[in-house]
């Protein structure tokens, strides 16, 4: 397979490795981008293959809550420039898209496009800049024990919903529980976990990490007897970085998120369970 300059450039942006190393990696794996990332990591030429999540397009994330508080929706609208994103017309359209998600509960992006597509096209014609509806999420509280924490970063480019359950529904409105829910949403925004806990991680992703570090240890000439221990240690580190409940808490990195949840539960004399989260970040991906 011919390796283009664009492929080399893309791999370099993903890994920070040198141009010649990137080209060699792509040649070795016949142009497979993900395998090339792993090849570079195995050779110690790239950082961990965790997407940086940096914003690669402009726009806005917005959220709305139903009048009865049972339903919450979050949605994103993307555009080309920050100038347009700060405009009143664009921001109003972003809010309308979130409201459409709340009202219609679209099954997928195509369904949402069918609801708001014409309005977005009209705005494109008016503003003269390309834009499109991006990722979205909607949640309905199934019982009075549920608590939803939400957070939109100050630049409007990252939005998070976090879902908790308390044992006693009377504690759903407790100020400490509400503060915990918001702080956990801020945690997800800042630390970008891949899953709630180790059990929720995609096994294929875990195995990929294990294999990368196995091969890296072998490349470095480590004795085979300790290669598996090195790989196991790398996986544990990966889980700590990637699982919300295992991550160091952003407000006190000497404690884990699980520690903070447990401390709040003890303070209100109740059980608190983190059940999930949704994270939306503007990007081209």
């Amino acid at each position: 397979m011919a390796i283009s300059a664009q492929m080399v450039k893309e791999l370099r942006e993903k890994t920070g490795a040198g141009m010649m190393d990137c080209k060699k990696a792509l040649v070795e794996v016949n142009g497979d981008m993900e395998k090339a990332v792993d090849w570079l990591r195995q050779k110690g030429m790239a950082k961990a293959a965790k997407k940086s999540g940096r914003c690669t397009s402009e726009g806005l994330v917005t959220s709305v809550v139903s009048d009865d508080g049972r339903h919450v929706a979050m949605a994103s609208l993307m555009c080309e420039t920050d100038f347009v994103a700060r405009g009143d017309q664009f921001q109003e359209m972003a809010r309308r898209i979130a409201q459409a998600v709340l009202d219609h509960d679209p099954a997928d992006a195509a369904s949402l496009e069918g609801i708001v597509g014409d309005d977005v096209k009209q705005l494109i014609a008016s503003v003269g800049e390309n834009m499109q509806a991006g990722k979205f999420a909607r949640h309905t509280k199934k019982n009075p024990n549920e608590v939803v924490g939400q957070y939109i970063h100050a630049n409007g480019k990252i939005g998070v919903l976090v879902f908790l359950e308390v044992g006693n529904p009377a504690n759903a409105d407790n100020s400490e529980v509400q503060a915990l829910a918001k702080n956990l949403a801020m945690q997800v925004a800042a630390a970008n976990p891949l899953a709630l806990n180790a059990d929720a991680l995609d096994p294929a992703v875990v195995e990929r990490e294990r294999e990368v570090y196995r091969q890296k240890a072998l490349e470095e000439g480590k004795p085979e007897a300790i290669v598996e221990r090195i790989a196991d240690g790398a996986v544990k580190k990966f889980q700590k970085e990637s699982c919300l409940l295992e991550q160091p808490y952003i407000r006190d990195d000497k404690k884990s998120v699980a520690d903070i949840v447990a401390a709040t539960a003890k303070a209100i004399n109740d059980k608190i369970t983190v059940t999930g989260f949704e994270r939306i970040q503007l990007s081209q991906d």
Side-chain angles (χ1 to χ4, degrees), residues 97-255:
I97 291 174
Q99 189 66 49
V101 172
L102 184 74
D103 294 342
H104 300 282
D105 192 14
D108 51 32
S111 299
L112 180 60
E113 173 69 19
I115 298 167
V116 302
D118 289 343
D119 290 339
V120 173
K121 288 175 184 176
Q122 287 182 18
L123 184 56
I124 291 171
S126 172
V127 175
E129 181 168 304
N130 187 33
M131 58 190 71
Q132 61 179 336
K135 297 177 181 178
F136 62 91
R138 186 182 187 278
H139 182 78
T140 296
K141 294 181 183 179
K142 301 176 181 63
N143 58 64
N145 301 64
E146 285 194 73
V147 178
V148 178
Q150 60 174 310
Y151 172 72
I152 295 179
H153 192 61
N155 62 11
K157 295 178 180 179
I158 301 175
V160 175
L161 299 174
V162 168
F163 314 119
L164 313 178
E165 282 198 9
V166 292
N168 181 354
N171 282 323
D173 293 324
N174 182 289
S175 60
E176 291 188 68
V177 174
Q178 292 290 325
L180 173 67
K182 182 175 181 179
N183 287 338
L184 293 188
M186 293 175 68
Q187 171 85 28
V188 173
N192 193 14
L194 298 179
L196 183 63
N197 51 39
D199 291 339
L201 273 174
D202 183 346
V205 172
V206 175
E207 186 53 37
R208 177 180 173 183
E209 289 297 309
R210 184 185 303 278
E211 185 60 22
V212 163
Y213 282 97
R214 282 190 74 260
Q215 294 300 322
K216 188 173 186 294
L218 291 171
E219 290 278 347
E220 292 172 350
K222 296 289 194 301
E224 289 194 24
I226 66 169
V227 165
E228 290 304 326
R229 283 187 309 204
I230 292 173
D232 287 343
V235 166
K236 288 179 181 178
K237 183 174 182 290
F238 173 70
Q239 290 174 340
K240 185 175 180 179
E241 294 172 346
S242 304
C243 299
L244 174 60
L245 293 176
E246 296 185 31
Q247 286 180 333
Y249 185 47
I250 56 172
R251 292 175 177 268
D252 182 356
D253 61 10
K254 293 182 175 58
K255 298 177 181 178

Side-chain angles (χ1 to χ4, degrees), residues 77-91 93 119-131:
L77 179 62
M78 298 182 292
C79 61
E80 296 179 49
T81 65
D82 180 60
F83 176 78
V84 166
R86 287 186 279 111
D88 292 342
Q89 285 181 290
F90 184 88
Q91 295 195 8
M93 179 60 69
D119 290 339
V120 173
K121 288 175 184 176
Q122 287 182 18
L123 184 56
I124 291 171
S126 172
V127 175
E129 181 168 304
N130 187 33
M131 58 190 71

